[in-house]
Amino acid sequence: MSGSPSFDSPSSAPHGSGSGKEEERCAKTIYDGSILIEGTLKRVEMDWEKKPAIGRICIYNKAVHWAKYFFAKFYRHNDLEKYSYAYIALACVYLVLKIQDSEKTHIISINEFLELTRRVWQPYVKERTLKVVAYILPRVECILFQGIDFDLGVDIPHNYVPKLIRAAFNMKVDEVDRLYVPNAEHPDPRKPSELIKHFLRYCMGSFLCVDHSPKVVAAASVFYALRVTGLTKNPRYKASWVQEFPEKEMEDIIARRKFIADLTRRDPGDHTRSPTVLCEEEKPRRESVAKRPHAEEEAEKRPHVA
């Protein structure tokens, strides 16, 4: 399609593949977008839990992974400077709310969505009113669709973890957790499942989730957790499970994940902290629908698109 981003051409240089400050800024921005996604979806889930007619909708874990994947996929092939990451993150969340496969689905309008999550996204777009953001969001959603090549298919590493654990121990994840007892050599108090969860959280908050197959990322997370806890020395451990995965690629994933974790220095449970890179620092460009200078005037003419 003419004018659409190229996903296969060599000219589509990956962001963050260089070094220095630009790589760090890129990693921080992608991670900040993932934090915004987490906080926004958590706010939606908390509200839905309070409504008896809807009941508890267990969308958070799967939805947040999907939204992060779409977000990272978009920016792996598009300019960070051209499109405001806050708007793209909100578009990812709103898209996932419409396609998530919960048995109980609640239709939510754009205005309702933005009003509900205002406290989460407002620090990222301080210069915009709700009316303006409500006008901009559907247009950003169109940009998002084009940026991910209209592909809503998604496979995430979390789907592979139980099978990989079983291949390594012929046990369930919770049974492997019980094998671990912190000691002087391996003092980390976290269970293997917790280490895997935190490892994958950083992977989904970076380009790692699109640069590598989800199964290899899952394998790296499992291998990392078992190595940190010393369970690779357990008599029940079957080292043969890891042979199908490229060792160099897994070590690269582990090293890049550590780089991201050290760079961001965030508490994995923190959804309230301020973003590292605020949108106000990014210069508006005419090419970006998300930052058109006349967006406020257009919003006055068309209050919202629900």
Side-chain angles (χ1 to χ4, degrees):
M1 179 180 297
S2 177
S4 62
S6 172
F7 290 87
D8 301 315
S9 114
S11 62
S12 297
H15 299 293
S17 58
S19 58
K21 292 184 178 180
E22 182 58 30
E23 182 181 4
E24 292 183 3
R25 183 181 184 279
C26 179
K28 286 181 179 179
T29 302
I30 298 302
Y31 190 76
D32 281 335
S34 75
I35 289 292
L36 175 55
I37 287 169
E38 288 181 6
T40 305
L41 277 168
K42 175 59 74 174
R43 183 66 188 88
V44 172
E45 186 190 40
M46 289 170 59
D47 181 72
W48 286 2
E49 285 178 348
K50 298 175 184 177
K51 299 178 179 179
I54 301 173
R56 179 174 176 80
I57 303 180
C58 299
I59 65 165
Y60 181 70
N61 288 332
K62 182 180 289 187
V64 78
H65 301 324
W66 286 6
K68 284 183 178 183
Y69 177 80
F70 292 142
F71 182 78
K73 185 177 181 180
F74 177 87
Y75 277 119
R76 174 45 91 195
H77 305 285
N78 290 276
D79 190 355
L80 278 167
E81 294 289 342
K82 186 175 179 180
Y83 303 106
S84 164
Y85 77 85
Y87 286 111
I88 296 296
L90 287 174
C92 289
V93 171
Y94 193 62
L95 173 63
V96 166
L97 288 176
K98 290 186 284 188
I99 66 173
Q100 56 90 14
D101 60 354
S102 171
E103 293 180 359
K104 298 178 179 179
T105 302
H106 175 56
I107 303 300
I108 183 170
S109 70
I110 287 180
N111 280 349
E112 182 184 2
F113 166 67
L114 292 174
E115 181 61 47
L116 176 62
T117 59
R118 184 199 290 259
R119 290 185 179 180
V120 181
W121 57 260
Q122 206 158 41
Y124 293 74
V125 288
K126 292 180 180 179
E127 76 281 8
R128 303 297 193 188
T129 65
L130 189 146
K131 183 185 292 186
V132 171
V133 176
Y135 174 78
I136 291 174
L137 190 57
R139 287 136 185 89
V140 177
E141 194 171 40
C142 293
I143 293 173
L144 172 63
F145 269 120
Q146 185 178 11
I148 62 175
D149 205 23
F150 302 93
D151 181 12
L152 296 181
V154 59
D155 192 10
I156 56 177
H158 307 70
N159 296 335
Y160 297 92
V161 169
K163 291 182 180 179
L164 293 175
I165 288 289
R166 183 167 289 280
F169 282 95
N170 196 28
M171 302 170 71
K172 295 180 180 179
V173 177
D174 59 334
E175 293 173 331
V176 173
D177 278 346
R178 289 195 286 271
L179 292 178
Y180 177 57
V181 179
N183 52 51
E185 187 178 359
H186 303 284
D188 198 310
R190 293 172 293 179
K191 300 175 182 178
S193 62
E194 294 173 324
L195 287 168
I196 292 170
K197 177 182 176 182
H198 292 159
F199 186 101
L200 291 180
R201 181 173 183 270
Y202 284 107
C203 290
M204 296 304 293
S206 70
F207 289 134
L208 286 170
C209 66
V210 293
D211 287 347
H212 303 273
S213 77
K215 190 173 183 180
V216 174
V217 173
S221 73
V222 170
F223 183 70
Y224 167 81
L226 297 181
R227 186 166 66 182
V228 168
T229 56
L231 289 179
T232 51
K233 301 176 183 177
N234 189 286
R236 300 187 184 184
Y237 177 69
K238 302 176 183 178
S240 59
W241 78 273
V242 80
Q243 292 177 358
E244 68 171 288
F245 302 102
E247 181 181 355
K248 186 177 184 303
E249 185 177 4
M250 290 206 303
E251 291 295 348
D252 178 60
I253 292 171
I254 292 171
R256 286 180 61 192
R257 175 265 174 196
K258 184 178 185 302
F259 167 77
I260 296 164
D262 291 344
L263 184 65
T264 53
R265 298 179 182 177
R266 303 290 183 250
D267 177 357
D270 180 14
H271 306 297
T272 59
R273 56 92 173 148
S274 298
T276 304
V277 185
L278 289 170
C279 289
E280 294 91 279
E281 297 177 8
E282 302 172 8
K283 296 180 180 179
R285 299 194 181 189
R286 291 183 180 180
E287 309 95 280
S288 172
V289 174
K291 293 191 170 185
R292 284 183 296 182
H294 303 298
E296 290 86 349
E297 297 177 12
E298 295 177 13
E300 290 298 327
K301 298 175 185 178
R302 301 178 185 178
H304 68 276
V305 179

